[in-house]
Amino acid sequence: MKGKTLLIVFILVAVATVGYRWLPSHYNPFTPLSLDDPPGPITQYKLRRLTPEACASLLSQANQKALIRTQPVADSAGACPLHNVVRVRDFGPVSLNSSFLASCSLALSSALFVSQQARPLTKTWTGSELVRIEHLGSYACRNIYHRPDARRSEHATAEALDISAFRLANGERVTILHGWRSTKTQPWLQALLTASCGYYGNGLGPEYNAAHANHFHLGMRDFGLCR
């Protein structure tokens, strides 16, 4: 009986070893993240575990592939110091109402979210291309909800972006405030918010609380909080 048990263990280890060897890299949590990795829990896990050096390298690749256009920003001191941040100018074919400051992780996650999810989901749900994202900002040196006794907001480290509206190639402009109440656009906006969970630590929308009635808050804190 003991010999049979050892044989079974040996077979299981051998199968696991062979399976691991042939496992596609995007299913393997121990291989480096690639910009071509599909969305999913493994990609999200890799995004969360990137070293500053690896993030910077991938962000550079994303710039070369025109998934995003960023410019380096000098570190700053003060009450809310910034380190290793960039200024995001656009997401390739998707323009912005204004540039914004972002940590490397926020910039990279946003580039992947827009290219892998926001653009194709918009085409699927609306039949038109996503051409512009409007936002309310990213960096703000403040506590959560401006409460003096609260911890620092993600905005204080440029690790969150508040998206307020989307513009389509057909000329339509859909705001979160009004679009969320429309039976025509709410399913599409809900699909975008749900998809954001695969890239950001949290994605908060109008159903989270009244403070988010007019925007999606996409931040790097936590892991997969999306509502």
Side-chain angles (χ1 to χ4, degrees):
M1 189 68 181
K2 185 177 180 181
K4 187 176 181 181
T5 301
L6 289 174
L7 177 61
I8 293 173
V9 170
F10 174 79
I11 292 173
L12 290 175
V13 170
V15 169
T17 301
V18 172
Y20 177 82
R21 223 167 155 190
W22 293 99
L23 191 67
S25 62
H26 57 268
Y27 287 131
N28 187 339
F30 302 107
T31 59
L33 177 68
S34 166
L35 295 179
D36 298 322
D37 284 353
I42 300 301
T43 295
Q44 184 184 30
Y45 172 79
K46 291 180 181 181
L47 274 170
R48 302 291 290 174
R49 292 182 59 85
L50 284 176
T51 63
E53 295 75 20
C55 185
S57 175
L58 284 168
L59 187 59
S60 176
Q61 294 175 40
N63 273 271
Q64 293 171 14
K65 290 189 174 185
L67 302 181
I68 193 173
R69 185 165 58 101
T70 64
Q71 293 176 322
V73 175
D75 290 351
S76 63
C80 298
L82 291 177
H83 303 285
N84 300 319
V85 298
V86 295
R87 181 167 293 279
V88 178
R89 295 292 183 182
D90 58 46
F91 294 111
V94 180
S95 66
L96 296 166
N97 60 312
S98 63
S99 64
F100 65 89
L101 293 174
S103 66
C104 181
S105 57
L106 176 64
L108 181 61
S109 295
S110 297
L112 293 177
F113 168 64
V114 172
S115 64
Q116 294 184 349
Q117 296 284 15
R119 293 183 63 201
L121 282 173
T122 297
K123 181 66 174 179
T124 298
W125 283 95
T126 71
S128 186
E129 298 288 346
L130 176 64
V131 297
R132 188 176 180 87
I133 291 175
E134 298 180 12
H135 64 89
L136 303 175
S138 58
Y139 175 69
C141 186
R142 62 174 176 81
N143 294 349
I144 295 175
Y145 300 126
H146 299 277
R147 295 170 182 165
D149 58 340
R151 64 175 172 169
R152 282 296 194 193
S153 166
E154 292 173 291
H155 291 291
T157 50
E159 290 195 297
L161 177 66
D162 290 343
I163 294 178
S164 59
F166 301 94
R167 283 188 179 272
L168 309 180
N170 62 12
E172 188 176 4
R173 176 177 180 267
V174 180
T175 66
I176 304 300
L177 181 63
H178 298 295
W180 197 264
R181 304 171 185 170
S182 168
T183 56
K184 175 186 174 184
T185 55
Q186 197 274 342
W188 160 51
L189 294 178
Q190 180 65 71
L192 290 179
L193 183 60
T194 300
S196 73
C197 286
Y199 303 85
Y200 302 92
N202 63 87
L204 308 178
E207 293 183 8
Y208 182 63
N209 61 21
H212 295 82
N214 68 340
H215 68 278
F216 289 163
H217 171 96
L218 305 179
M220 303 311 300
R221 192 177 287 168
D222 299 320
F223 189 90
L225 173 64
C226 187
R227 53 184 177 178

